Amino acid sequence: MGVPVAVRGAKRWALVWAGLVLGAAVVLGVVVTKPWWAHSDHVCCALPPDTSAIEDVPERWQAAVADGDVPAAWGMLTPEAQRRYGSQHGLEAALDGLRPSSRAAATWWLTNSYTQGRGTPSRFFYLLVEDESLRPVRAVVVHSRADGTPDGRIDPDVPATVRIQEPASRAVVGPRPRMRSATGVPPSYTVVQSENIVRGAVGSIREADGRDAPFSHAGPLRPGPALIVAVRYDGRYAYGAVRVTVRGDA
């Protein structure tokens, strides 16, 4: 027995309406919901930063300052740094204070970074450290969008005002040292050793006794001399560092 025409028509209209509702839901989802690549506040969903074109910026800045090449150095500054110096003449007057205080062999280490992925405003904290003595010489911050273009600009005014209270300078520490810094919130910690760098945990790591435990899940640190670096950011960067010796126990 055949299906009545009215019933077949009703079914067809039901299917049409279902399709319209589904299509509207899809369109609404596209309009209201950001695609995964638009969530710049989620690092998990962004492409990783591309710093290949800015990794030599600290070395080029150092060379321009050492050579007294004011136009080149000026062109590498961030707009904010240019405003602080006022003009190329202002920068030229400050060059002596921007030159490294040591002629010993030294390496620029990337000790802290803030980025939400490729193409986002990013900051990279570089510290110049003497290769043999592990003495910190100078710090700069490179600003970039981390998109693979040579857009890196320098802020060279980074004070060494973060005070590390524990461990003491020249102390012998274990492979996962606990830290105490004179900061309201835990800074970011990094350890520089010979041809090696270890970055501590990021986040709320301060314990009840006021000490920070940044290396609980990192490392362990290699035995031998080490420079522990604490970096604080509260709108402007500052850092502190202490040289220690890591003992060889597990």
Side-chain angles (χ1 to χ4, degrees):
M1 191 173 173
V3 179
V5 173
V7 174
R8 290 201 301 270
K11 286 184 176 181
R12 281 200 298 270
W13 277 109
L15 290 173
V16 169
W17 277 109
L20 289 173
V21 171
L22 180 60
V26 170
V27 171
L28 184 61
V30 170
V31 172
V32 174
T33 306
K34 290 183 179 180
W36 66 266
W37 41 264
H39 286 275
S40 61
D41 55 335
H42 294 290
V43 177
C44 68
C45 300
L47 292 173
D50 183 353
T51 60
S52 58
I54 65 169
E55 291 170 354
D56 66 340
V57 169
E59 293 180 359
R60 291 195 290 111
W61 162 259
Q62 181 183 358
V65 170
D67 294 341
D69 189 344
V70 176
W74 178 262
M76 297 179 67
L77 292 176
T78 63
E80 181 183 354
Q82 288 180 343
R83 286 192 293 270
R84 287 200 302 269
Y85 290 108
S87 66
Q88 292 192 30
H89 293 296
L91 175 61
E92 185 174 15
L95 279 186
D96 285 343
L98 294 173
R99 291 186 175 100
S101 58
S102 171
R103 294 185 178 275
T107 300
W108 286 100
W109 291 91
L110 176 59
T111 59
N112 181 267
S113 61
Y114 173 83
T115 180
Q116 293 180 325
R118 188 176 306 176
T120 66
S122 304
R123 304 183 298 267
F124 302 94
F125 183 97
Y126 285 87
L127 184 64
L128 183 63
V129 180
E130 291 182 353
D131 294 340
E132 185 172 348
S133 68
L134 293 182
R135 185 177 76 90
V137 179
R138 178 161 294 281
V140 299
V141 178
V142 177
H143 293 251
S144 168
R145 293 190 66 82
D147 59 2
T149 60
D151 67 338
R153 295 294 180 265
I154 286 278
D155 186 341
D157 301 316
V158 186
T161 54
V162 175
R163 186 162 59 95
I164 297 177
Q165 299 168 311
E166 295 179 28
S169 178
R170 307 295 182 181
V172 177
V173 301
R176 291 185 173 89
R178 297 169 72 207
M179 310 292 300
R180 186 191 296 272
S181 296
T183 58
V185 296
S188 297
Y189 293 99
T190 302
V191 175
V192 176
Q193 295 181 284
S194 177
E195 300 181 356
N196 184 54
I197 188 167
V198 176
R199 293 180 176 86
V202 177
S204 300
I205 53 177
R206 184 150 293 172
E207 299 180 343
D209 62 0
R211 291 182 173 88
D212 302 331
F215 307 110
S216 298
H217 304 290
L221 308 181
R222 295 178 180 177
L227 178 72
I228 305 179
V229 183
V231 177
R232 185 193 71 219
Y233 181 77
D234 54 6
R236 290 291 304 278
Y237 275 97
Y239 76 100
V242 61
R243 284 177 284 179
V244 299
T245 299
V246 180
R247 60 177 181 260
D249 54 318

